[in-house]
Amino acid sequence: MQIIPAGHFDLAGYPGFAWDEHDLWPYFYFLPAELHDRLLEITPNACLALAIGSAQWILGRMAPLDADRPARDFVQAMWADCTSDWRCQRYAPEDEDYAGPVRGPMIMAMSILYDVLERIGENPVIADRATWMHNLALHVLEGDPAYQDWFQKALARLEYWHGWQVEGGRSPDLFAPAFPRGGPVAAEVLVPGIPYDRRQAPVLLERLIQWERRMGNPFILGPWEFGIDDPDDDHDHDHAHGFPVPD
């Protein structure tokens, strides 16, 4: 299952976009109102799925030049945060290991996703991160029409299957430990043309996570491992997750 058309980046050359290590904010850190407002109408888990998909496009663009395994594994492991039974390990690589216009976009994509893990208690609006990732992808992919077509189709599918009006449950419970994230969202929703039903999302996610674990992805934590990366972390309760969707 691929969200990027086969061979799309096979002939990709060295990046031609601007990349200033000392001033990266203009490349992604803004919230176009039209897109941001639209993303607020889908669930946070749906926004996370869209951010993961855009990150995969960024890594795909760089893969012919540097198919970085840790970056790939971390981005894929973020799907665990769309479930109730798994989590993604916090991972913050050294900046000096990811410099320049090839590896720099990799760490920025990872950092935007890491922000979901690290600051979800302070800012539960994952629509922000999905918008930032889209901005970064537009810059890194230099307006690639294939990416833009994928993004609009993927967003439309998320609106159909994982909009708040579809799932319900938007109003937070005052006694809940975290802001509602919505139901599980599976990677298949990001692949236009593949049949999808949100009721199958838990099964599809479990299949993806088990595959990643068999392939040696080190960033997926099971229930027995929650918190082992930071056992003294007193804000682990801020780490919210999806819940199974009833039939």
Side-chain angles (χ1 to χ4, degrees):
M1 181 189 65
Q2 290 183 311
I3 68 170
I4 303 172
H8 185 68
F9 291 120
D10 285 355
L11 301 179
Y14 194 78
F17 52 81
W19 193 258
D20 182 351
E21 301 286 350
H22 305 290
D23 188 20
L24 298 173
W25 301 110
Y27 305 145
F28 74 94
Y29 197 63
F30 51 96
L31 297 172
E34 182 177 355
L35 174 60
H36 191 250
D37 289 349
R38 191 174 172 187
L39 292 181
L40 290 173
E41 296 303 316
I42 62 176
T43 69
N45 277 341
C47 288
L48 178 56
L50 196 60
I52 294 170
S54 291
Q56 289 176 341
W57 274 86
I58 293 169
L59 297 188
R61 165 64 179 89
M62 300 306 165
L65 305 171
D66 189 339
D68 186 74
R69 179 62 187 264
R72 178 264 174 213
D73 283 350
F74 177 72
V75 170
Q76 280 293 95
M78 283 297 299
W79 286 108
D81 254 53
C82 288
T83 77
S84 58
D85 297 328
W86 303 92
R87 295 186 186 178
C88 180
Q89 170 86 305
R90 291 184 173 94
Y91 174 59
E94 296 296 330
D95 291 351
E96 56 266 26
D97 294 334
Y98 287 89
V102 174
R103 292 178 66 78
M106 296 180 188
I107 196 171
M108 285 313 310
M110 286 189 286
S111 296
I112 293 171
L113 293 176
Y114 182 83
D115 192 71
V116 175
L117 302 180
E118 189 67 10
R119 299 186 63 248
I120 192 67
E122 303 168 40
N123 177 10
V125 185
I126 303 180
D128 292 1
R129 286 75 164 202
T131 306
W132 296 339
M133 192 74 79
H134 180 57
N135 296 338
L136 181 65
L138 287 175
H139 180 75
V140 170
L141 300 174
E142 301 180 87
D144 186 341
Y147 166 74
Q148 296 186 65
D149 180 66
W150 166 82
F151 185 86
Q152 293 301 326
K153 289 178 178 177
L155 177 52
R157 280 164 64 94
L158 287 165
E159 289 172 328
Y160 183 84
W161 288 108
H162 295 286
W164 275 124
Q165 289 189 343
V166 177
E167 289 200 9
R170 186 171 194 169
S171 300
D173 182 343
L174 294 178
F175 300 101
F179 194 80
R181 293 271 297 265
V185 180
E188 282 77 2
V189 75
L190 300 182
V191 187
I194 289 184
Y196 182 80
D197 187 323
R198 71 186 183 93
R199 291 171 296 184
Q200 298 301 316
V203 173
L204 296 172
L205 275 171
E206 183 68 19
R207 184 184 304 164
L208 171 63
I209 288 169
Q210 293 300 337
W211 168 259
E212 289 294 322
R213 286 169 60 82
R214 288 196 299 272
M215 294 297 290
N217 192 321
F219 299 117
I220 296 176
L221 301 180
W224 60 93
E225 299 169 300
F226 290 173
I228 63 171
D229 58 318
D230 190 3
D232 297 321
D233 185 359
D234 62 3
H235 65 268
D236 188 61
H237 63 276
D238 288 336
H239 194 109
H241 295 275
F243 50 83
V245 178
D247 292 331

